[in-house]
Amino acid sequence: MANYKLANKDNWKGRVSDQQLYLHEKISFSSIKDPLPVTNNKTIALLGYSSDEGVRRNSGRVGAELGPDEIRKQLAKMPNHLKDNTRLIDFGNLECKDQDLEEQQIEFTKAVSHLIKNRATPILIGGSHDLAYAHYNGLLEHVKTKEKIGIINFDAHFDLRANTKENNSGTPFYQIAIDHQEKGQVIKYMALGIRKDANTKDLLEFAEAHQVNYLFQKYFNMNYLEHVQLRLIQFLEDVDYVYTTIDLDGFSSAFAPGVSAPSPMGFSPDIVLESLKLIIDSGKLVGFDVVELNPNYDIDDQTAKLAASLVHYVIHKL
C-alpha cells in the first residue's frame, strides 16, 4: 500500500505498571497489509490520516499532518479501563505523497474497508477533514443495498463546498452528497454546531436542498440538551448505521486553540460527550474519527489532549 508507515512505538510512552493500567501498556501493533487473527473479541483499530493537503488547498493553516502522532502521545498516557480481551491495535499512518490527495483518499478507503472486513472498529485520527470522504466510502463497502448509513458531523462548517477544481478539506460531504444524488439517493447527514459566520449562504442553500439535518451552534449547548437529544434520536431512528466525525475546529478556541480554523465562538466538550453517549448507546456506531488537530498552533497540548480524551471516551464506551 502506497504512502503507508507502520506505527512509531515511541509515541506510546507513559507511567509504567505491571497491570496494564495505562493505554501505552495495552496497545499492540499491526500492519494494514496483514489479516488479523480471527477472534470473537472486540477489536479497536487506530489508524492515522497524516495529511494537511486538503487544508492547504482550502487556504487554511497547514500542520494537521502532524496531528495523528500528537493524539497518540496524549492517549498513551491515559488510563486503561478496557476489558482484558479487548484488542487495541495501532495500524500506523497513511501519508499524502506528492500532494496527491485523491490517491491518499483511495488508499485510505481500502484501509478502512480492510479493517471492517477483519471485524475491527475503525477509530481514525487526522489530519484534515477530507479524511471523511475516504472513511465513509470504506464503511459503505460493507453496507447492504437497502441499509442506510447516517453521518453525524460535529463541526462549525458544513464542509459542503463544491469540488469543481479539486478535493479539499471543505468538500467531503459535498462529494458524498453528489455520489448519492447520482444514485438517486439522498445523503443522510446531520451537522451539529454549525455557525452562520463560518458558512456562506450558498452552503446553507445546498444543505437545505439536500435535506441536511443541522443544528446551529447557538442551540448546540447544555441549555438545549433535551432538544439536542431529541434531534439525535430522530436522526438515529432513520438510519441503520452511523459514522461519526468530530472536527476540532468546531470547539471554541478556549478548548481547542490548535486547529487550522480556530474561533472563540464554538461549542464546548460537555454537549459533545452527551451526544456521543446517545450515539454509542444506539448500538449503530460503525466508524469514528477526530480531525483537524494542528500541533503547530496548540497551547500546552490542550487540543491534542481534547482529541485524545474524545477517543478515550469512545473506545471505552463502545
Side-chain angles (χ1 to χ4, degrees), residues 49-70:
Y49 186 85
S50 184
S51 171
D52 53 23
E53 173 61 16
V55 171
R56 185 192 68 78
R57 294 182 183 185
N58 202 22
S59 302
R61 307 189 299 181
V62 297
E65 67 175 348
L66 305 173
D69 283 352
E70 293 304 313

Side-chain angles (χ1 to χ4, degrees), residues 5 123 130 138 166 168 191 221 223 230 234-235 252 264 291:
K5 285 191 176 180
I123 305 292
D130 34 277
E166 55 189 0
N168 62 57
N221 58 65
N223 292 328
L230 179 60
Q234 291 172 336
F235 182 82
S252 165
V291 300

